[in-house]
Amino acid sequence: MPLKDTMALVKEPQPLPVAPLPWFLPSLFAAFNVMMLVFVSSLFFGFPCRWLAQNGEWVFPAVTGPLFVLTFYSLVSLNFSDPGILHRGSTAEDPMTVHVVSVNQRAFRLQWCPKCCFHRPPRTSHCPWCNICVEDFDHHCKWVNNCIGHRNFRLFMLLILSLCLYSGALLVSCLMFLIHTRHLPFSVDKVMAILVALPAAGFLIPLVLLLLIYAVSVSAAERSCENKCRVHQEHNPFDQGFARNWYLTMCAPLGPKYMSEVVCLQRPVRTEWIYEKIQPSPPCPPKHCPSGSPVLQLQPQAQPQPPLMAQKRTSGSGEVATVLQEIDASPRLSLLSEAPRRGSSRRSQSLDPLNLRLPV
């Protein structure tokens, strides 16, 4: 079947319906989470923690204060972090080209992303909410309205850990406050302590379970999207051992950002630039020719005309055939023939600058 017919059979993905301001509600929800963290913390530090500090229990504000700073920093940083966004490719890229890479003796075929117009590396997925391709994609976190990928997975783990510790510290501090003030009449401080303890206890158990799940995933070098699709059923080629997996995930250098202007995943090249770069230069003229003559003239030697059959057999011999063989063996010309969407017309055009005048 011709290539044009096969291209017509490819079903293009249907674009998602565009809603008015699709980014507004997720961004508003992420901002609401940050405000809730600040609001609950202000209630805690303003009422039960203040009473504990005034009565000599300085250990509670000394522990909860740094935990709040760490939690707030990780939450805000994760909102504005780069998950590992890859550059969009060029529309001139061929989606029918097959790229195969090997990871620990296992072959991976690079999938074509029709929205970003390039072949995705292994473990790279397109996020439908952010409309970007993310390297080492794990999931899209709606709590922070950002993708979790290669470059911000450490911040995500830090956020979960800090939230677990901070929620536990808030719950213990409020319980200790209620125990110390059980002989006192019911007051505003007790109401605020209960209001802080309820969400802290409600989020503590899910956060601990989430932290354990991701600890197991990091130990096995797995990702959430791969677990849902069951990509690696037999053997995970990305698994390099318990200690190595934790080092690569949490401590290894991340490398340069793909969003910088210097680094490009795929750089489109113009056809004219390729033709000019690989255009063969004309050979030097012989000694008997004038030095300023740019034309290589090959005059036929005076030889008796062979019979018709012999002429057909020897039509490829002689000095002209030698020159043509050298041109065919040129690496520059081979690169030109291997360029996509360039046929024999480019090959014939590349001989024009030589101005060969072949004998008739």
Side-chain angles (χ1 to χ4, degrees):
M1 183 180 292
L3 181 59
K4 295 182 179 179
D5 298 340
T6 58
M7 290 290 292
L9 296 177
V10 177
K11 184 178 179 181
E12 297 183 357
Q14 298 294 333
L16 297 176
V18 180
L21 297 178
W23 52 268
F24 180 73
L25 292 180
S27 302
L28 185 62
F29 182 68
F32 173 77
N33 295 328
V34 177
M35 293 174 60
M36 284 300 298
L37 175 65
V38 176
F39 176 72
V40 173
S41 300
S42 61
L43 293 180
F44 170 75
F45 288 108
F47 295 96
C49 187
R50 175 185 55 82
W51 188 93
L52 292 173
Q54 290 176 354
N55 290 269
E57 300 290 343
W58 287 98
V59 64
F60 296 102
V63 172
T64 55
L67 288 178
F68 166 73
V69 174
L70 180 62
T71 305
F72 182 79
Y73 165 77
S74 57
L75 180 60
V76 175
S77 300
L78 191 59
N79 275 275
F80 300 98
S81 61
D82 175 22
I85 304 174
L86 298 182
H87 270 288
R88 292 183 180 270
S90 172
T91 55
E93 295 294 332
D94 188 8
M96 305 302 294
T97 306
V98 178
H99 297 275
V100 180
V101 297
S102 177
V103 179
N104 290 338
Q105 300 180 355
R106 180 171 178 179
F108 286 87
R109 178 179 177 179
L110 303 187
Q111 300 294 328
W112 172 260
C113 181
K115 296 185 178 180
C116 297
C117 299
F118 74 100
H119 291 84
R120 295 193 296 258
R123 284 196 160 184
T124 300
S125 299
H126 188 89
C127 178
W129 292 274
C130 301
N131 196 24
I132 54 175
C133 277
V134 179
E135 182 188 12
D136 202 3
F137 179 79
D138 187 86
H139 70 284
H140 179 85
C141 183
K142 297 182 180 180
W143 295 89
V144 296
N145 191 30
N146 198 359
C147 296
I148 307 301
H150 174 68
R151 304 195 66 88
N152 63 353
F153 189 81
R154 302 174 184 181
L155 280 175
F156 178 71
M157 292 293 293
L158 179 63
L159 176 62
I160 297 178
L161 179 61
S162 60
L163 280 174
C164 290
L165 297 177
Y166 186 54
S167 299
L170 290 181
L171 181 60
V172 172
S173 300
C174 292
L175 291 178
M176 292 301 298
F177 168 77
L178 293 175
I179 291 174
H180 283 84
T181 59
R182 64 182 182 272
H183 60 280
L184 298 177
F186 196 77
S187 60
V188 179
D189 293 344
K190 290 186 178 182
V191 175
M192 297 303 173
I194 295 174
L195 291 178
V196 173
L198 288 178
F203 282 100
L204 180 60
I205 297 178
L207 286 172
V208 171
L209 292 178
L210 185 63
L211 182 62
L212 293 177
I213 291 173
Y214 271 97
V216 175
S217 299
V218 172
S219 303
E222 296 178 350
R223 294 296 177 263
S224 300
C225 58
E226 296 175 348
N227 293 335
K228 294 179 181 179
C229 302
R230 296 181 180 179
V231 178
H232 311 298
Q233 297 180 358
E234 298 178 357
H235 172 67
N236 185 6
F238 300 96
D239 187 5
Q240 302 186 21
F242 178 83
R244 183 68 176 173
N245 292 337
W246 276 97
Y247 169 75
L248 293 176
T249 305
M250 307 301 296
C251 303
L254 296 177
K257 289 186 177 182
Y258 289 107
M259 290 302 294
S260 60
E261 298 180 358
V262 181
V263 181
C264 294
L265 182 65
Q266 290 184 352
R267 182 178 302 171
V269 181
R270 295 181 302 173
T271 305
E272 296 80 5
W273 185 85
I274 298 178
Y275 179 70
E276 292 176 0
K277 290 297 180 181
I278 64 177
Q279 185 179 13
S281 57
C284 298
K287 295 182 179 180
H288 61 273
C289 294
S291 59
S293 177
V295 180
L296 177 60
Q297 299 180 358
L298 300 177
Q299 300 295 338
Q301 298 179 0
Q303 294 180 357
Q305 294 291 335
L308 181 61
M309 298 300 295
Q311 185 177 0
K312 290 182 179 179
R313 289 195 301 267
T314 60
S315 60
S317 60
E319 189 175 359
V320 176
T322 304
V323 175
L324 292 177
Q325 291 177 1
E326 293 179 357
I327 295 175
D328 291 337
S330 175
R332 298 179 178 179
L333 195 57
S334 62
L335 290 175
L336 180 61
S337 61
E338 293 175 1
R341 293 185 298 278
R342 291 171 178 81
S344 59
S345 59
R346 282 291 183 186
R347 185 182 179 90
S348 61
Q349 291 177 6
S350 63
L351 299 178
D352 294 341
L354 296 178
N355 295 326
L356 295 178
R357 299 180 180 176
L358 304 181
V360 182

